[in-house]
Amino acid sequence: MTRNALLTLLTLTLTTTAAAQDAQTVRLGFFPNLTHAPALVGLERGTFQKALGKVKLDAKEFVSGTTLTEAFAAGQIDIAYVGPGPAINAAGRGMPVQFLAGASEAGAVLVARKDSGIKSYKDLAGKIIAVPSLGNTQDISLRHILNENSLKSKTDGGNVTITPVAPVDVLAAFAAKRVDATLVPEPWGAALEAQGHKVIGTEKTVWRDGKYPTTVVIVNTKFAQANPQLVAAFLKAHSEAVAFINKSPVGAQTAVNAQLLKLTGAKLDPRVLQRAFARTRFTTSLDLAALTEYAKLNVEAGYARSAPDLAPFIRK
Amino acid sequence: MTALSPDIQPTRAARGPGRWQTLVTQLVGLLVILGAWWLITDVLKLYPPYVFPGPKAVWTEISYGLWGTGPQDGKLLSAIGGSLRRVLTGYVIAVLLGTAVGLLMGAWRPLRTTLGAYLTGIQSVPSIAFVPFAILFLGLNERAVLFVVILEGFIPVALAVSGALLNVPPALRVAGRTLGASSLSLIVRVLLPASVPSILTGLRTAWSFAWRALVGGELLIAGAASLGEQLEVGRNTANVALVLATIIIIGVIGGLFDSLLRAAEGRVRRDYGLEVPQ
């Protein structure tokens, strides 16, 4: 018994040592949002696992970029689907992060509760607005929208209350009238719309006519240096997933819904999903100009004192 | 009480170092801690700065946050303002409420044996456990934070007041009665003044409970300038230096108020003859 335990321990130690050269698992982080559809589709259809071969895929879902960045900083995640906000913050703080590819663009909408009296951005004055988490991509976008409309958050001396609510909980928060509006990634915007709430900011009016990244794929730089083949294989699978979404949206929607059901225990109305899909674009390309502008908005929002030069962080 | 008993209260010489000596020792201790911190982070670089930043990075956050003049600076200062306003409001309400409940418990035995026991139970629940309920009950707003602060703050006051009333020497009661005090004036003019030292201890406990409850509540109910929100922002933007800066500020403010209350307590205890004057 003791000898067996010792042997197991020895084997484990050897395996871990081997992992330093060549990883045995790829730990993937993502959120159960439509803007992370390439991750959801890739998981549901087994695209990633097929590309990785014998190397095990260990997928972990997160609620927001915050917790994901923490896991990334702690070295518990190798590759992640994440919003540009947390990714830029991670890069700015010197975390070993590399931008691998784009995943989705636009796909976030500003929805107001039907009885909140909000009809336009101007009406956000004095209201409570939910974002997935403070400092995340939607929060940065929201602060920019407020800025453009001469409004300010309460913490900056204005009268708009920005409060973090996980997208999964936003429907309940609307029902309980705890918040007046929210800037959320899809499919939560479309889900709120289906309940009669009003979209007052479409994916195009949020920023840059909708030409902005909402989700990007990042990798731990050390992991990328140690496992170039694995990263290339993952990237190939990611491209396949994106191509599949663009080629057969209906099949992609079915796959996304199946994964969402597994992850959140709830299935979305196909019409809701379809509407959410229509407001999101899926791509593998990284728009450096848009990312750079995002880094400036991050400074404008007060989350960083300077915008990092992102070019060195982008995978060549 | 052991007032004036020489075996418990040490003499001036046996009491140890004076105020200045204590201050110097504390200062040296602080420098040792800062030096060790600097050695671990900036010299030996045992941890990457995004996991454990050095004292210089934390100082940068403190200086920008407190007296920086850029458009996004000064946030820690307004956070301190917001948090102090909130905790003082909650604390004053908690003290008034706690005194009232404590008096009732001290005066009426059935209330003491029921409510008193429950309050001790509630006190053992961490304040953060009440936050989800407060949010559902009162909404995602300041009232929810105040609710938690008041709940945490009033219990030690109530227990201290009721306990203090019970510990008033019976001789004082008898004397008051003999001199013709009614029930109310016995409480107001004899029992309450006699329990001031114990009540002050309760007030000090209530402060530390309220302060901790406040930060816990603010962490989950962001939206207004608060130290809890600064912690959350630091966490969300991978800014560990800001997190540490906020922790230091929370500790310093908590400690400052505690020593103020401690000084008041010590003074009252001396005035009451419970301690040898220094």
Side-chain angles (χ1 to χ4, degrees), chain B residues 6-70:
Chain B
D7 50 346
I8 302 284
Q9 291 296 327
T11 59
R12 181 86 177 84
R15 210 184 289 123
R19 192 171 288 176
W20 282 108
Q21 252 174 302
T22 315
L23 204 67
V24 169
T25 321
Q26 282 172 343
L27 206 65
V28 170
L30 183 69
L31 287 175
V32 169
I33 293 170
L34 281 175
W37 178 9
W38 176 71
L39 202 69
I40 290 170
T41 53
D42 290 343
V43 181
L44 299 172
K45 296 189 194 299
L46 292 182
Y47 300 93
Y50 55 85
V51 172
F52 187 19
K56 199 165 159 265
V58 174
W59 176 250
T60 307
E61 286 299 328
I62 292 179
S63 60
Y64 276 110
L66 289 184
W67 53 80
T69 48

Side-chain angles (χ1 to χ4, degrees), chain A residues 7-24:
Chain A
L7 271 174
T8 321
L9 196 71
L10 193 69
T11 329
L12 271 174
T13 322
L14 287 174
T15 335
T16 336
T17 323
Q21 282 95 40
D22 212 3
Q24 301 296 302

Side-chain angles (χ1 to χ4, degrees), chain A residues 129-148:
Chain A
I129 313 171
V131 290
S133 71
L134 293 181
N136 95 320
T137 309
Q138 280 77 41
D139 179 31
I140 296 166
S141 304
L142 175 64
R143 281 169 205 268
H144 180 62
I145 289 172
L146 295 182
N147 204 18
E148 298 256 284

Side-chain angles (χ1 to χ4, degrees), chain A residues 7-68:
Chain A
L7 271 174
T8 321
L9 196 71
L10 193 69
T11 329
L12 271 174
T13 322
L14 287 174
T15 335
T16 336
T17 323
Q21 282 95 40
D22 212 3
Q24 301 296 302
T25 39
V26 172
R27 295 164 304 171
L28 174 72
F30 69 100
F31 316 157
N33 291 342
L34 184 83
T35 45
H36 290 232
L40 302 174
V41 168
L43 287 172
E44 182 64 26
R45 293 172 47 87
T47 321
F48 299 134
Q49 190 58 75
K50 213 171 75 193
L52 294 175
K54 280 186 186 145
V55 175
K56 194 173 156 271
L57 178 74
D58 182 10
K60 290 180 185 134
E61 61 160 321
F62 290 82
V63 182
S64 76
T66 306
T67 41
L68 201 152

Side-chain angles (χ1 to χ4, degrees), chain A residues 66-67 70 73 89 93-96 134 154-156 161-164 178 299-300 302-303 305, chain B residues 50-51 61 64 72-73 75 135-136 139-140 222-225 229 232-233 235-239:
Chain A
T66 306
T67 41
E70 277 172 350
N89 273 323
R93 308 274 174 221
M95 283 190 201
L134 293 181
K154 224 172 179 177
T155 44
D156 292 334
T161 308
I162 300 177
T163 191
R178 270 164 34 204
V299 174
E300 182 190 294
Y303 290 132
R305 246 169 236 114
Chain B
Y50 55 85
V51 172
E61 286 299 328
Y64 276 110
Q72 292 298 340
D73 293 336
K75 289 207 164 171
I135 292 175
L136 291 172
L140 268 174
E229 197 234 18
E232 192 63 10
V233 165
R235 181 188 166 196
N236 289 358
T237 56
N239 190 350

Side-chain angles (χ1 to χ4, degrees), chain A residues 216-262:
Chain A
V216 296
V217 186
I218 56 170
V219 63
N220 184 307
T221 315
K222 287 174 201 155
F223 179 86
Q225 279 160 359
N227 307 283
Q229 291 97 339
L230 278 183
V231 173
F234 182 88
L235 208 50
K236 195 170 151 277
H238 168 65
S239 303
E240 274 173 35
V242 170
F244 176 77
I245 294 170
N246 288 328
K247 200 181 70 198
S248 42
V250 180
Q253 284 162 30
T254 314
V256 165
N257 225 351
Q259 264 297 312
L260 283 180
L261 181 66
K262 279 179 203 160

Side-chain angles (χ1 to χ4, degrees), chain B residues 236-251:
Chain B
N236 289 358
T237 56
N239 190 350
V240 200
L242 177 60
V243 172
L244 288 179
T246 313
I247 290 174
I248 290 170
I249 286 171
I250 291 169

